[in-house]
Amino acid sequence: MIRFKNVSKIYKPNTAALKNVNLRIKPGEFVSIVGQSGTGKTTLARLIIAEENVSKGSIIVGGWDITNIKQAEIPTLRRQIGVVFQDFKLLKKKTVYENVAFALEVAGAEPVKIRNIVPQALKIVNLEDKLDRFPNELSGGQQQRVVIARALVHRPKIIIADEPTGNLDSINVQEIIDLLLKINKFGTTVVLVTHNHDIVNALRKRVITLDQGQIISDQEEGKYLL
Ligand SMILES: Nc1ncnc2c1ncn2[C@@H]1O[C@H](COP(=O)(O)OP(=O)(O)O)[C@@H](O)[C@H]1O
Ligand SMILES: [Mg+2]
């Protein structure tokens, strides 16, 4: 599903964010990527969605070698990957419904499809009663659930969440993790970047630990090491 072969990423002029990373994530896995700040976790996530190019090595996503992906092909890749990043914010002047619908509108979806899929996505995240609310009328956890609903509209095979619980209190954190587990149960591959020890230790799923741009540990039912 996701494969990194000898991947290095050097930001100009000379920051080696990832160094010779080899990685294989199978369809349907739930993988946590952990490690201290500045060790390359976000870079790894951005490479998977082709928001950055590799400096060396190659990346395959869903059987597709995206190492030298053309700009015009990136939207096709992104539709296969639901992204929950901290900097992908909700639009403040759009309602919950409109925020989720917008992701389909920009992709050119038919109105009938939008009317069909948006309520389904919001039902999965248990927000079907908040369609007409604006983001500032929701809690942090509810807002993050809207972001997850938006990530689901193209029925992606992979969800990548980069610190999705970074700004949430512990009750909301559990809610988001439970939701990611539920989405994973449907068969979607989940890649969760986090530095929250409690989450990782409770999950008992695969844990990949990065340190200074290198994978230093990769364990099934892993625990937080650093
Ligand atoms: N766009 C960028 N330009 C230059 N350096 C960057 C950029 N993004 C990240 N870096 C550097 O790459 C390293 C890894 O960053 P990052 O992948 O964001 O780590 P993490 O998500 O683990 O905190 C850090 O040293 C960071 O300063
Ligand atoms: Mg990061």
Side-chain angles (χ1 to χ4, degrees):
M1 172 103 305
I2 300 172
R3 180 135 191 233
F4 278 48
K5 290 189 209 165
N6 304 315
V7 170
S8 295
K9 173 66 187 177
I10 294 140
Y11 291 108
K12 288 184 178 116
N14 59 4
T15 305
L18 292 177
K19 298 174 209 161
N20 202 34
V21 169
N22 286 289
L23 177 62
R24 200 189 273 267
I25 296 174
K26 292 195 283 288
E29 273 196 279
F30 190 120
V31 183
S32 302
I33 312 275
V34 306
Q36 284 166 3
S37 182
T39 49
K41 303 183 298 297
T42 295
T43 298
L44 190 148
R46 285 184 155 157
L47 288 172
I48 296 171
I49 59 167
E51 216 178 86
E52 291 286 351
N53 330 314
V54 299
S55 307
K56 270 189 222 145
S58 59
I59 299 182
I60 294 163
V61 176
W64 179 9
D65 188 334
I66 61 154
T67 312
N68 298 307
I69 190 169
K70 295 192 185 74
Q71 204 64 34
E73 295 172 329
I74 290 178
T76 308
L77 174 71
R78 298 266 172 90
R79 281 198 285 278
Q80 298 177 34
I81 307 173
V83 175
V84 183
F85 282 12
Q86 270 184 347
D87 49 353
F88 285 22
K89 292 277 175 341
L90 296 171
L91 300 164
K92 286 194 180 74
K93 293 190 173 158
K94 288 188 185 287
T95 63
V96 165
Y97 182 96
E98 290 165 349
N99 262 284
V100 177
F102 190 65
L104 286 161
E105 284 162 16
V106 295
E110 300 286 334
V112 61
K113 183 176 171 189
I114 296 175
R115 284 196 297 274
N116 191 11
I117 289 181
V118 174
Q120 283 177 22
L122 286 164
K123 190 163 194 299
I124 291 170
V125 303
N126 290 325
L127 285 176
E128 64 267 54
D129 58 341
K130 300 274 190 284
L131 304 185
D132 298 325
R133 300 294 180 89
F134 288 90
N136 68 1
E137 298 173 316
L138 302 177
S139 72
Q142 288 170 334
Q143 289 183 35
Q144 197 59 294
R145 277 149 58 196
V146 180
V147 172
I148 293 173
R150 186 178 61 182
L152 293 174
V153 292
H154 297 298
R155 304 186 194 287
K157 298 186 193 80
I158 303 167
I159 290 272
I160 301 184
D162 188 357
E163 308 275 6
T165 60
N167 300 322
L168 304 178
D169 57 43
S170 58
I171 294 172
N172 287 321
V173 166
Q174 197 51 50
E175 204 175 87
I176 297 301
I177 298 305
D178 288 346
L179 187 50
L180 292 174
L181 284 167
K182 174 165 131 187
I183 292 164
N184 178 245
K185 279 223 176 93
F186 298 157
T188 307
T189 306
V190 175
V191 180
L192 169 66
V193 173
T194 182
H195 62 245
N196 185 315
H197 295 227
D198 297 338
I199 293 176
V200 170
N201 293 342
L203 273 169
R204 311 220 120 260
K205 302 268 189 194
R206 183 175 172 195
V207 179
I208 294 171
T209 308
L210 280 176
D211 188 32
Q212 296 181 45
Q214 290 182 301
I215 293 180
I216 58 159
S217 145
D218 183 349
Q219 297 185 298
E220 296 300 326
E221 296 197 19
K223 291 237 174 191
Y224 206 109
L225 295 177
L226 295 175

